[in-house]
C-alpha cells in the first residue's frame, strides 16, 4: 500500500468540483487538500494526496491528465506538479 503527496498549480479559469474531491481511476486515487485560489496569478493551488496500492509510483503525466479531467482544464500542459514524496 503506497501513497504520495505533492503540490499542483492549475489555471484559474477551470471550475473546481465542490469540496474535497476523490477520483478513482483503475489503479490510483487522487485527493486534494489545502485548496487555495490565487486570482493575482490566475491559478488554483492545492496539495495532492495520491493513493496507489499495488503500484510503485504514479507518473506526473498520468496525474496531470487525471487532474485536467477532474477540473475541466483544456490543456494538461498548464498543470504544474512538484514536490512529491512517497509515504510508506
Amino acid at each position: 500500500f503506497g501513497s504520495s503527496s505533492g503540490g499542483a498549480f492549475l489555471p484559474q479559469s477551470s471550475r473546481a468540483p465542490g469540496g474535497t474531491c476523490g477520483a478513482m481511476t483503475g489503479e490510483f486515487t487522487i485527493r486534494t487538500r489545502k485548496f487555495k485560489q490565487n486570482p493575482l496569478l490566475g491559478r488554483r493551488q492545492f496539495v495532492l494526496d495520491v493513493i496507489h496500492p499495488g503500484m510503485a509510483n504514479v507518473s506526473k503525466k498520468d496525474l496531470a491528465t487525471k487532474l485536467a479531467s477532474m477540473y475541466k482544464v483544456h490543456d494538461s500542459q498548464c498543470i504544474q506538479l512538484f514536490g512529491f514524496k512517497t509515504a510508506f
Side-chain angles (χ1 to χ4, degrees):
F1 172 48
S3 66
S4 305
S5 70
F9 294 131
L10 289 176
Q12 182 69 29
S13 62
S14 61
R15 301 270 309 155
T20 303
C21 60
M24 189 70 169
T25 57
E27 308 225 2
F28 61 93
T29 303
I30 299 174
R31 274 193 240 143
T32 59
R33 60 186 171 95
K34 296 186 180 180
F35 196 89
K36 183 194 318 184
Q37 292 186 1
N38 190 339
L40 186 62
L41 295 175
R43 66 184 182 197
R44 298 170 190 262
Q45 306 170 197
F46 48 83
V47 175
L48 285 177
D49 290 328
V50 183
I51 300 170
H52 47 93
M55 292 179 66
N57 283 320
V58 181
S59 70
K60 289 183 180 180
K61 183 178 180 181
D62 292 341
L63 290 173
T65 55
K66 183 60 188 167
L67 284 172
S69 68
M70 284 172 56
Y71 288 95
K72 299 176 184 152
V73 176
H74 299 292
D75 185 15
S76 63
Q77 297 288 332
C78 296
I79 299 173
Q80 301 294 318
L81 300 169
F82 60 92
F84 282 89
K85 296 182 181 175
T86 304
F88 293 100

